[in-house]
Amino acid sequence: MLPEFNLAPELVTGGVVMWTIMLLALVCYGLLFEAIYCRYHQINSQWVTSWLTPLQVLISSLPLLGLLGTIIGLLDTFSALGHNPGVSISDGIGKAMLTTQAGLLMSIPAMVILWKLQEQEQEQELTLAPSFEDAQGSDSDCQDDSRMQGSELDDFVNHNSSQTAKQSRDAKRHTGSKNAA
């Protein structure tokens, strides 16, 4: 004999889709809280950055799973209505909408947390960018140096190409004089 579990009727009513929403939400929130922990303690920032896009995809799939549960519930309701016309349609639709509600309730707070993490990531990138520029020097100094280096390079190329052309002409003359002799 199997042990009896006292499960909430909503979890039984929502079926497999409700369990999938709950499991995916648990994974998403686990990753979000780990990312918050890493960001707060300033460890594993590369891991946090690499998980921001997959987390966005996973969290965005929660309402879609809820919609899938609603469609399945509505199909079951209309199927039951077709077999037994005395069945109340409002009870079936209410049960069908339960998965949409669960998907939205799980995804909205997660999207807010993810948005905050992405905002912190952008702020961190902006604070690191000026310090890198300070280490390299200001932009105007770099641009002046590159223009000066560019003009020196042009002079070098022009000088060498004119010398190469002169050497090539001299070599032809020298070869031509040997052939004539």
Side-chain angles (χ1 to χ4, degrees), residues 64-87:
L64 296 175
L65 283 170
L67 184 61
L68 175 66
T70 298
I71 298 300
I72 291 171
L74 287 174
L75 288 173
D76 288 346
T77 299
F78 291 134
S79 175
L81 189 61
H83 291 92
N84 187 1
V87 174

Side-chain angles (χ1 to χ4, degrees), residues 7-15 17-19 22 95 98-99 101-102:
L7 294 174
E10 293 82 17
L11 291 176
V12 175
T13 302
V17 176
M18 183 65 87
W19 284 101
M22 294 300 155
K95 289 178 183 178
L98 185 66
T99 55
Q101 179 185 10

Side-chain angles (χ1 to χ4, degrees), residues 34-53:
E34 186 172 352
I36 290 169
Y37 178 82
C38 289
R39 176 75 65 211
Y40 180 74
H41 291 288
Q42 296 177 351
I43 55 174
N44 246 352
S45 64
Q46 190 175 16
W47 178 88
V48 173
T49 305
S50 68
W51 268 99
L52 288 179
T53 302

Side-chain angles (χ1 to χ4, degrees), residues 120-161:
Q120 288 175 353
E121 179 71 23
Q122 289 174 352
E123 287 175 4
Q124 184 179 4
E125 286 176 7
L126 290 176
T127 57
L128 289 178
S131 64
F132 180 73
E133 288 175 3
D134 291 342
Q136 294 291 323
S138 68
D139 284 342
S140 61
D141 292 342
C142 292
Q143 289 172 354
D144 291 342
D145 288 345
S146 67
R147 273 187 257 138
M148 184 176 66
Q149 290 172 354
S151 65
E152 290 174 357
L153 183 62
D154 289 340
D155 292 343
F156 177 76
V157 169
N158 290 336
H159 177 69
N160 282 341
S161 63

